[in-house]
Amino acid sequence: MKVGIYYGSETGNSEMLCEDIETELGEGFDCDIQSLADVDPAAMEKDAFYIIVTSTYGNGDLPSTALPFEDALTEGKPDLNGVRFAIFGLGDMVFSETFNHGSMKLSEMLKAQGAVQVGERGLHDASGFDMPEDVALPWVQGIMCLMAADKAA
């Protein structure tokens, strides 16, 4: 299965987590890691699966590398019917009012264009004791189990 692993980041943490996710998936998947800055949402394929990792920046906004993707979604309004994705957010509960709003906003934008979210949005809290990969890797395994069950049905 072709898996696009896309990240939005200010500091590089999302990109590093994408590399961990690719390693966790193993060689049975054709993975492609890219910054959301380099992704055209209109080019997302229905026969691929997308895992998106993004942080939240400022007042609950997407990080700068995700802004071109956001603009393409809101201005271009591409038809994403049939596109499947999962999303994982990096945030910090110190900013409780906007905790993980970047991933929430991006999820809502993708669904507004017809994409289907697989599973629950994964969330990491930088104020907690767990490293991002300690939360994300079990989450991604659960997501891939959902994908396998859907394919088998």
Short mmCIF file of all heavy atoms in Angstrom, two decimals, residues 102-133:
data_model
loop_
_atom_site.label_atom_id
_atom_site.label_comp_id
_atom_site.label_asym_id
_atom_site.label_seq_id
_atom_site.Cartn_x
_atom_site.Cartn_y
_atom_site.Cartn_z
N GLY A 102 -4.23 22.85 15.68
CA GLY A 102 -3.70 22.74 14.31
C GLY A 102 -4.18 21.46 13.65
O GLY A 102 -4.71 21.49 12.53
N SER A 103 -4.03 20.33 14.33
CA SER A 103 -4.47 19.05 13.74
C SER A 103 -5.99 19.00 13.61
O SER A 103 -6.51 18.44 12.64
CB SER A 103 -3.94 17.87 14.57
OG SER A 103 -4.43 17.90 15.88
N MET A 104 -6.70 19.61 14.57
CA MET A 104 -8.16 19.63 14.49
C MET A 104 -8.62 20.44 13.26
O MET A 104 -9.47 19.99 12.49
CB MET A 104 -8.75 20.25 15.76
CG MET A 104 -10.26 20.32 15.76
SD MET A 104 -10.93 21.12 17.24
CE MET A 104 -10.38 22.81 17.01
N LYS A 105 -8.02 21.61 13.07
CA LYS A 105 -8.39 22.45 11.92
C LYS A 105 -8.09 21.75 10.59
O LYS A 105 -8.91 21.76 9.67
CB LYS A 105 -7.65 23.79 11.98
CG LYS A 105 -8.14 24.72 13.04
CD LYS A 105 -7.32 26.01 13.04
CE LYS A 105 -7.80 26.97 14.08
NZ LYS A 105 -7.01 28.21 14.11
N LEU A 106 -6.92 21.13 10.52
CA LEU A 106 -6.54 20.47 9.27
C LEU A 106 -7.47 19.29 8.99
O LEU A 106 -7.90 19.09 7.85
CB LEU A 106 -5.08 20.02 9.31
CG LEU A 106 -4.49 19.54 8.00
CD1 LEU A 106 -4.68 20.55 6.88
CD2 LEU A 106 -3.01 19.23 8.19
N SER A 107 -7.82 18.54 10.00
CA SER A 107 -8.75 17.44 9.84
C SER A 107 -10.10 17.94 9.32
O SER A 107 -10.66 17.37 8.37
CB SER A 107 -8.95 16.72 11.18
OG SER A 107 -9.99 15.77 11.09
N GLU A 108 -10.60 19.00 9.90
CA GLU A 108 -11.88 19.57 9.48
C GLU A 108 -11.83 20.06 8.03
O GLU A 108 -12.78 19.88 7.26
CB GLU A 108 -12.31 20.69 10.42
CG GLU A 108 -12.71 20.17 11.79
CD GLU A 108 -12.95 21.27 12.81
OE1 GLU A 108 -12.73 22.48 12.50
OE2 GLU A 108 -13.33 20.94 13.95
N MET A 109 -10.71 20.67 7.65
CA MET A 109 -10.57 21.16 6.26
C MET A 109 -10.55 20.01 5.26
O MET A 109 -11.17 20.10 4.21
CB MET A 109 -9.30 22.00 6.12
CG MET A 109 -9.41 23.36 6.74
SD MET A 109 -7.95 24.37 6.40
CE MET A 109 -6.92 23.92 7.76
N LEU A 110 -9.84 18.94 5.60
CA LEU A 110 -9.78 17.78 4.70
C LEU A 110 -11.16 17.13 4.56
O LEU A 110 -11.60 16.81 3.46
CB LEU A 110 -8.76 16.76 5.22
CG LEU A 110 -7.30 17.15 5.05
CD1 LEU A 110 -6.41 16.30 5.96
CD2 LEU A 110 -6.87 17.02 3.60
N LYS A 111 -11.85 16.97 5.68
CA LYS A 111 -13.19 16.37 5.64
C LYS A 111 -14.18 17.25 4.88
O LYS A 111 -15.06 16.74 4.19
CB LYS A 111 -13.68 16.07 7.06
CG LYS A 111 -12.90 14.93 7.71
CD LYS A 111 -13.48 14.50 9.05
CE LYS A 111 -13.16 15.46 10.14
NZ LYS A 111 -13.54 14.97 11.49
N ALA A 112 -14.02 18.57 4.98
CA ALA A 112 -14.90 19.49 4.25
C ALA A 112 -14.77 19.32 2.74
O ALA A 112 -15.71 19.63 2.00
CB ALA A 112 -14.60 20.93 4.65
N GLN A 113 -13.63 18.81 2.29
CA GLN A 113 -13.42 18.58 0.86
C GLN A 113 -13.74 17.13 0.47
O GLN A 113 -13.47 16.73 -0.66
CB GLN A 113 -11.99 18.94 0.47
CG GLN A 113 -11.63 20.39 0.71
CD GLN A 113 -12.65 21.36 0.13
OE1 GLN A 113 -13.10 21.19 -0.99
NE2 GLN A 113 -13.05 22.34 0.91
N GLY A 114 -14.28 16.35 1.41
CA GLY A 114 -14.72 15.00 1.08
C GLY A 114 -13.81 13.88 1.54
O GLY A 114 -14.15 12.70 1.38
N ALA A 115 -12.64 14.20 2.09
CA ALA A 115 -11.73 13.15 2.56
C ALA A 115 -12.34 12.47 3.79
O ALA A 115 -13.13 13.06 4.52
CB ALA A 115 -10.36 13.74 2.89
N VAL A 116 -11.96 11.22 4.00
CA VAL A 116 -12.48 10.43 5.11
C VAL A 116 -11.36 10.18 6.12
O VAL A 116 -10.30 9.67 5.76
CB VAL A 116 -13.03 9.08 4.60
CG1 VAL A 116 -13.45 8.20 5.76
CG2 VAL A 116 -14.18 9.31 3.63
N GLN A 117 -11.62 10.56 7.37
CA GLN A 117 -10.65 10.32 8.43
C GLN A 117 -10.82 8.91 8.96
O GLN A 117 -11.92 8.49 9.30
CB GLN A 117 -10.82 11.34 9.56
CG GLN A 117 -9.80 11.17 10.66
CD GLN A 117 -9.89 12.26 11.70
OE1 GLN A 117 -10.25 13.39 11.40
NE2 GLN A 117 -9.56 11.92 12.94
N VAL A 118 -9.71 8.19 9.04
CA VAL A 118 -9.69 6.84 9.59
C VAL A 118 -9.26 6.93 11.05
O VAL A 118 -8.20 7.47 11.36
CB VAL A 118 -8.73 5.92 8.80
CG1 VAL A 118 -8.62 4.56 9.45
CG2 VAL A 118 -9.17 5.81 7.35
N GLY A 119 -10.08 6.42 11.95
CA GLY A 119 -9.74 6.42 13.37
C GLY A 119 -9.83 7.79 14.00
O GLY A 119 -10.19 8.78 13.36
N GLU A 120 -9.50 7.80 15.28
CA GLU A 120 -9.50 9.05 16.04
C GLU A 120 -8.22 9.83 15.78
O GLU A 120 -7.18 9.25 15.48
CB GLU A 120 -9.60 8.74 17.54
CG GLU A 120 -10.91 8.09 17.95
CD GLU A 120 -12.09 9.02 17.80
OE1 GLU A 120 -11.97 10.22 18.11
OE2 GLU A 120 -13.15 8.55 17.34
N ARG A 121 -8.30 11.12 15.94
CA ARG A 121 -7.13 11.98 15.84
C ARG A 121 -6.19 11.64 17.00
O ARG A 121 -6.60 11.61 18.16
CB ARG A 121 -7.59 13.44 15.90
CG ARG A 121 -6.54 14.47 15.68
CD ARG A 121 -7.18 15.85 15.48
NE ARG A 121 -8.14 16.20 16.51
CZ ARG A 121 -7.91 17.10 17.47
NH1 ARG A 121 -6.76 17.75 17.52
NH2 ARG A 121 -8.83 17.37 18.36
N GLY A 122 -4.94 11.36 16.69
CA GLY A 122 -3.95 11.10 17.72
C GLY A 122 -3.46 12.42 18.29
O GLY A 122 -3.33 13.41 17.57
N LEU A 123 -3.18 12.43 19.59
CA LEU A 123 -2.76 13.67 20.25
C LEU A 123 -1.59 13.42 21.17
O LEU A 123 -1.60 12.46 21.95
CB LEU A 123 -3.91 14.25 21.08
CG LEU A 123 -5.21 14.57 20.34
CD1 LEU A 123 -6.29 14.99 21.33
CD2 LEU A 123 -5.00 15.63 19.29
N HIS A 124 -0.60 14.31 21.11
CA HIS A 124 0.52 14.26 22.04
C HIS A 124 0.58 15.57 22.80
O HIS A 124 0.37 16.64 22.23
CB HIS A 124 1.85 14.04 21.31
CG HIS A 124 3.01 14.06 22.26
ND1 HIS A 124 3.80 15.18 22.42
CD2 HIS A 124 3.47 13.12 23.11
CE1 HIS A 124 4.72 14.91 23.33
NE2 HIS A 124 4.55 13.67 23.77
N ASP A 125 0.86 15.46 24.09
CA ASP A 125 1.00 16.63 24.95
C ASP A 125 2.45 16.76 25.37
O ASP A 125 2.98 15.93 26.11
CB ASP A 125 0.10 16.46 26.18
CG ASP A 125 0.25 17.58 27.20
OD1 ASP A 125 0.89 18.62 26.86
OD2 ASP A 125 -0.27 17.43 28.31
N ALA A 126 3.10 17.81 24.92
CA ALA A 126 4.51 18.03 25.24
C ALA A 126 4.72 18.28 26.74
O ALA A 126 5.84 18.14 27.22
CB ALA A 126 5.06 19.21 24.44
N SER A 127 3.67 18.63 27.47
CA SER A 127 3.78 18.83 28.91
C SER A 127 3.76 17.52 29.69
O SER A 127 4.06 17.51 30.88
CB SER A 127 2.63 19.71 29.42
OG SER A 127 2.72 20.99 28.88
N GLY A 128 3.38 16.45 29.01
CA GLY A 128 3.31 15.15 29.68
C GLY A 128 4.67 14.47 29.74
O GLY A 128 5.70 15.03 29.36
N PHE A 129 4.65 13.25 30.22
CA PHE A 129 5.90 12.50 30.40
C PHE A 129 6.28 11.67 29.19
O PHE A 129 7.42 11.25 29.05
CB PHE A 129 5.79 11.60 31.64
CG PHE A 129 5.64 12.37 32.91
CD1 PHE A 129 4.42 12.43 33.57
CD2 PHE A 129 6.71 13.07 33.44
CE1 PHE A 129 4.29 13.15 34.74
CE2 PHE A 129 6.58 13.81 34.61
CZ PHE A 129 5.36 13.85 35.26
N ASP A 130 5.31 11.38 28.30
CA ASP A 130 5.57 10.53 27.14
C ASP A 130 6.26 11.29 26.02
O ASP A 130 5.94 12.46 25.76
CB ASP A 130 4.26 9.95 26.59
CG ASP A 130 3.60 8.99 27.55
OD1 ASP A 130 4.32 8.22 28.21
OD2 ASP A 130 2.36 9.01 27.63
N MET A 131 7.17 10.60 25.36
CA MET A 131 7.77 11.14 24.14
C MET A 131 6.73 11.02 23.02
O MET A 131 5.87 10.14 23.08
CB MET A 131 9.04 10.36 23.78
CG MET A 131 10.14 10.47 24.83
SD MET A 131 10.74 12.16 25.01
CE MET A 131 11.55 12.42 23.45
N PRO A 132 6.80 11.86 21.99
CA PRO A 132 5.82 11.77 20.91
C PRO A 132 5.70 10.37 20.31
O PRO A 132 4.59 9.88 20.05
CB PRO A 132 6.31 12.79 19.88
CG PRO A 132 7.10 13.77 20.67
CD PRO A 132 7.73 12.98 21.79
N GLU A 133 6.84 9.71 20.10
CA GLU A 133 6.80 8.38 19.49
C GLU A 133 6.14 7.34 20.41
O GLU A 133 5.56 6.36 19.94
CB GLU A 133 8.19 7.92 19.06
CG GLU A 133 9.20 7.83 20.17
CD GLU A 133 9.98 9.11 20.45
OE1 GLU A 133 9.56 10.21 20.01
OE2 GLU A 133 11.02 9.01 21.11
#
